[in-house]
Amino acid sequence: MSRLGALLARETALAWGKGGGPLVSVGFYAGVATLLPLAIGPEPARLAAIAPGAAWVGLALASLLSLDRLFERDYEDGALDHLVLSPTPLELTCAVKCFAQWLATGAPLALAAPVAAIALGAPLNLAPLVFVCALIGGLAFAFTGGIGAALSLGARRGGLLTAVIVLPLFVPPVIFGGGALASYLAGLPWTSGLVLLGAYAAAFVALGPLFMAAACRNALS
Amino acid sequence: MIIALDLRGVAVRRGGRSLFCGLSLSLTAGEACALTGANGAGKTSLLRAVAGLVPLEDGEIGFGDVEAGEARGGGLHLIGHQDGLKPARTTREELDFWSVWSGGDKASALAAAESLDLIGLLDLEVRRLSAGQRRRLALARLLAAPRGLWLLDEPLSPLDASWRARFGAMMQAHLAGGGLILAAVHDPLPITARTLEIGA
């Protein structure tokens, strides 16, 4: 248990670390949210209509940013060897790494998401739902993203490859989360979208580490 | 604890090329073996194969009574060219983490730092260390978390003469305690060891 705690502390420190992982992600997110009104036009009615969806897509893109550092650094400097040669199953190690990624990137982005949505013109009462969706969605992004990061280990320009592998896996959470937000705004039942989002996140929290561990072992051999 | 290492007819292929085949070796507690061979002969691949990181083309590797999964999951140390140390973290952070991760604790990490004369460097970032200091930090793992089998890849190369001798004494102490050492080297080890030449 102390071993996993130490790993979580290390991974979170590395993700927060110098170079500012979460700051970069949140900054990128702010940039996307600022760019949208400039491209689409400043009419409040039009912006308000797309605000929840735009906030949600920006979140998915910002979540991609720091994924390439998740396994790549440990692979390149040999730390992954030492992480593998341990009584802790590699699957659990991968899960802890993704959880730390969520703490360091997903949680700050979830705090930024309601701000972005409201800045784009979404009603104030949408903010709590945006936050909850972003928090759960961030978990799904971290654990699906980990699969892409592990699969692209050792590839040249792995970050780009990660994005190509991972974006299709981001489709369901984007649909479920965006759907829940749109239904809430339209006064329709919105819980089903949130529940599906939670189910998707839970499935990948459970299954993702199996794929990641297999991909890591393959990359090392 | 691992008290035996048996390689029987081991063959390894890397990148479509056969590195070596029919390699056999038997080590028991208290024995060391130096792997020699030209650059690219497969010394590192053999060490990684023993650690289970590289698949065998043929043959088998046994660890005496210890089951292979258990031996590789916490029964052996692999110290290679790539030390897995993060340049932006301090010596203390890295040493403490790897000590706990390998089955030791912060007290054993401190004791290892004392043995390897790292105390004065604990608050420095790893990027500020010289190659020799950095290697000592990597080697500190061996002492911070005792494991039976040491797999060492060129452990001496960045160390100066006095540290080579001191590390020799550490290896001797490990063997005296019933440990095993398999080390890939170009220069002779400062301890009594058998020799296995790869690709002869």
Side-chain angles (χ1 to χ4, degrees):
Chain A
M1 217 42 230
S2 66
R3 187 177 278 134
L4 290 182
L7 180 65
L8 185 64
R10 169 189 188 260
E11 293 297 327
T12 316
L14 283 175
W16 272 100
K18 314 203 165 116
L23 278 181
V24 171
S25 297
V26 171
F28 176 82
Y29 189 26
V32 170
T34 318
L35 220 54
L36 266 166
L38 298 175
I40 290 171
E43 297 95 83
R46 194 192 288 178
L47 272 181
I50 60 145
W56 194 230
V57 167
L59 187 72
L61 294 180
S63 302
L64 276 176
L65 270 192
S66 46
L67 278 181
D68 58 323
R69 304 203 302 178
L70 189 54
F71 291 105
E72 189 71 30
R73 274 191 305 196
D74 283 344
Y75 172 74
E76 279 175 355
D77 68 14
L80 201 52
D81 291 348
H82 299 280
L83 291 176
V84 169
L85 296 175
S86 154
T88 305
L90 185 55
E91 289 77 7
L92 201 53
T93 305
C94 292
V96 171
K97 284 176 88 69
C98 290
F99 186 69
Q101 169 81 5
W102 177 64
L103 283 181
T105 313
L109 282 174
L111 285 173
V115 180
I118 289 165
L120 288 171
L124 212 53
N125 62 1
L126 191 67
L129 188 60
V130 173
F131 175 69
V132 172
C133 279
L135 212 52
I136 301 173
L139 204 56
F141 292 150
F143 277 79
T144 50
I147 299 175
L151 279 174
S152 56
L153 274 184
R156 223 166 273 220
R157 309 194 58 189
L160 205 59
L161 185 59
T162 304
V164 173
I165 296 173
V166 162
L167 274 176
L169 293 172
F170 279 14
V171 169
V174 166
I175 293 175
F176 298 147
L181 296 176
S183 307
Y184 182 86
L185 278 183
L188 299 169
W190 48 271
T191 42
S192 63
L194 192 60
V195 170
L196 282 171
L197 181 63
Y200 189 82
F204 272 92
V205 168
L207 295 176
L210 303 179
F211 297 121
M212 292 173 221
C216 286
R217 287 202 183 92
N218 181 51
L220 288 176
S221 73
Chain B
M1 188 163 130
I2 295 179
I3 51 161
L5 173 67
D6 284 296
L7 311 186
R8 289 179 291 272
V10 169
V12 169
R13 262 182 108 78
R14 304 295 286 155
R17 191 169 68 96
S18 174
L19 284 178
F20 50 80
C21 56
L23 207 66
S24 295
L25 171 72
S26 182
L27 280 185
T28 54
E31 281 190 302
C33 179
L35 292 174
T36 59
N39 293 135
K43 301 187 291 293
T44 300
S45 294
L46 179 61
L47 291 177
R48 293 178 67 82
V50 172
L53 297 170
V54 162
L56 297 185
E57 174 83 358
D58 193 19
E60 51 188 297
I61 295 175
F63 299 91
D65 297 337
V66 184
E67 196 249 327
E70 197 185 319
R72 286 159 177 164
L76 57 82
H77 275 298
L78 172 68
I79 303 289
H81 301 291
Q82 292 177 306
D83 51 24
L85 300 168
K86 296 282 182 275
R89 306 233 301 160
T90 64
T91 303
R92 185 194 309 277
E93 286 171 332
E94 283 296 273
L95 183 57
D96 282 351
F97 168 71
W98 287 114
S99 172
V100 171
W101 180 256
S102 311
D105 52 34
K106 290 191 179 178
S108 69
L110 197 63
E114 242 160 70
S115 306
L116 285 152
D117 207 3
L118 294 167
I119 296 290
L121 308 172
L122 282 178
D123 293 319
L124 280 186
E125 288 178 356
V126 171
R127 73 169 100 242
R128 311 255 171 244
L129 302 184
S130 75
Q133 289 169 334
R134 197 171 159 145
R135 175 53 58 97
R136 270 151 53 199
L137 174 55
L139 293 174
R141 264 176 240 188
L142 297 171
L143 303 183
R147 293 179 172 182
L149 172 60
W150 290 3
L151 303 172
L152 309 173
D153 197 355
E154 299 281 355
L156 303 172
S157 49
L159 299 179
D160 62 30
S162 94
W163 272 106
R164 287 184 180 205
R166 285 174 74 170
F167 184 58
M170 285 172 204
M171 288 195 278
Q172 202 67 63
H174 177 62
L175 296 177
L180 294 82
I181 296 176
L182 186 60
V185 288
H186 285 296
D187 308 320
L189 280 176
I191 53 169
T192 330
R194 290 158 49 186
T195 307
L196 178 68
E197 186 166 0
I198 299 184

